[in-house]
């Protein structure tokens, strides 16, 4: 008997955390009683400023020298959807010195825990899980891709509704791209008093940013072949 593994259609919590850290433009650092807002992460994300290591690795010689730290990140949808907050990520750990943007001693963080909170709930991610995955190849291009779709190809979004399964119930007043990752596109369907998100998975995951365009065009081609246009907005 041959067994087939289920096709993966969405990122794991560890993949989402990695991508959020990689694409972050800002973060809040809470350390030694101070809140520091760090902006303009120079395209390198949080991991371009901080190195995470296991408790057994490196670190200062005297345990008392370690300073507790909490890093806070918010993942905001680049499109004008209802409720733009997609996720919150919190990392906790220890620094060799109080955080300073100019101190290399506070750039090395002994990992404590990572937590991601989103519509799916609250999940913990270990350092091993983070180190086992890389950032999504679309992470730093996602905002530009979604805003281009909305600004220049708005007419294509209702077309994608043809391949939503199961078909949404009547009453949708607007559909907006919420996210795109290596596994597919997420649309937010807005109703008069609520909303819900639907996934449109790619046939295969994107391994390189050059594959993103063909994957999206393949979804659109499938939608065009659908026999019944969406009547949600009729």
């Amino acid at each position: 008997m041959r067994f087939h593994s289920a096709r993966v259609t969405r990122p794991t919590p560890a993949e989402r955390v990695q991508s959020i850290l990689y694409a972050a433009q800002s973060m809040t650092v809470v350390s030694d009683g101070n809140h520091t807002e760090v902006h303009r992460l120079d395209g390198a994300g949080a991991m371009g400023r901080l190195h995470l290591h296991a408790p057994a690795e490196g670190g200062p010689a005297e345990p008392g020298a370690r300073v507790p730290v909490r890093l806070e990140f918010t993942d905001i949808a680049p499109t004008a959807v209802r409720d733009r907050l997609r996720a919150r990520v919190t990392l906790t750990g220890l620094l060799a010195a109080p955080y300073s943007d100019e101190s290399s001693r506070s750039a090395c963080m002994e990992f404590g825990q990572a937590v991601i909170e989103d519509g799916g709930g609250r999940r913990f991610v270990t350092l091993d899980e983070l180190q086992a995955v890389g950032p999504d190849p679309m992470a730093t291009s996602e905002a530009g891709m979604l805003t281009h779709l909305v600004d220049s190809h708005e007419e294509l979004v209702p077309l994608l509704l043809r391949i939503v399964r199961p078909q949404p119930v009547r009453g949708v007043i607007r559909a907006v791209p919420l996210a795109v990752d290596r596994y597919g596109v997420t649309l937010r369907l807005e109703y008069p008093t609520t909303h819900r998100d639907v996934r449109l998975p790619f046939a295969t995951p994107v391994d390189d940013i050059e594959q993103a365009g063909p994957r999206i065009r393949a979804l659109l081609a499938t939608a065009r072949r659908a026999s019944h246009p969406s009547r949600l907005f009729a």
Side-chain angles (χ1 to χ4, degrees):
M1 180 180 297
R2 180 178 295 177
F3 294 93
H4 297 278
S5 59
R7 180 162 65 102
V8 178
T9 61
R10 64 181 65 243
T12 65
E15 288 176 306
R16 289 208 64 205
V17 170
Q18 267 282 26
S19 296
I20 290 170
L21 298 181
Y22 185 70
Q25 297 298 311
S26 63
M27 63 181 174
T28 300
V29 181
V30 183
S31 176
D32 200 33
N34 297 313
H35 284 66
T36 305
E37 298 295 333
V38 183
H39 300 285
R40 295 182 297 278
L41 293 177
D42 304 324
M47 296 301 93
R49 296 287 189 92
L50 290 162
H51 166 67
L52 303 180
H53 63 82
E57 299 176 5
E62 305 94 10
R66 294 183 174 132
V67 180
V69 64
R70 183 171 77 248
L71 309 180
E72 300 173 348
F73 303 84
T74 54
D75 179 30
I76 304 295
T79 49
V81 296
R82 182 186 296 165
D83 186 6
R84 293 181 63 190
L85 177 63
R86 299 190 299 192
R88 296 184 188 275
V89 169
T90 304
L91 300 184
T92 58
L94 299 170
L95 298 178
Y99 180 81
S100 170
D101 207 25
E102 300 177 353
S103 171
S104 60
R105 292 192 68 222
S106 62
C108 194
M109 177 177 168
E110 183 177 299
F111 183 87
Q113 68 179 21
V115 181
I116 181 169
E117 299 176 83
D118 58 15
R122 189 168 186 255
R123 280 79 51 90
F124 290 85
V125 176
T126 67
L127 182 60
D128 286 343
E129 289 172 326
L130 281 179
Q131 293 178 334
V133 299
D136 193 297
M138 302 168 71
T140 56
S141 302
E142 181 199 22
M145 294 175 67
L146 290 180
T147 53
H148 176 74
L149 178 60
V150 170
D151 295 342
S152 302
H153 304 285
E154 185 179 12
E155 75 284 357
L156 297 178
V157 179
L159 184 65
L160 290 171
L161 288 173
R162 296 185 186 186
I163 54 176
V164 172
R165 296 292 183 272
Q167 275 282 292
V169 297
R170 288 183 177 273
V172 175
I173 58 175
R174 194 169 73 128
V176 188
L178 174 72
V180 61
D181 53 60
R182 67 188 302 257
Y183 297 103
V185 176
T186 301
L187 299 180
R188 173 152 292 174
L189 307 186
E190 297 182 353
Y191 296 83
T193 59
T194 187
H195 61 264
R196 74 181 183 95
D197 300 336
V198 294
R199 291 280 297 180
L200 301 177
F202 297 139
T204 56
V206 170
D207 295 318
D208 183 273
I209 188 61
E210 298 300 324
Q211 300 171 354
R215 294 292 195 282
I216 293 173
R217 288 193 290 273
L219 284 181
L220 291 168
T222 300
R224 289 188 179 96
R225 291 193 298 268
S227 58
H228 299 291
S230 172
R231 297 179 180 176
L232 292 173
F233 302 102

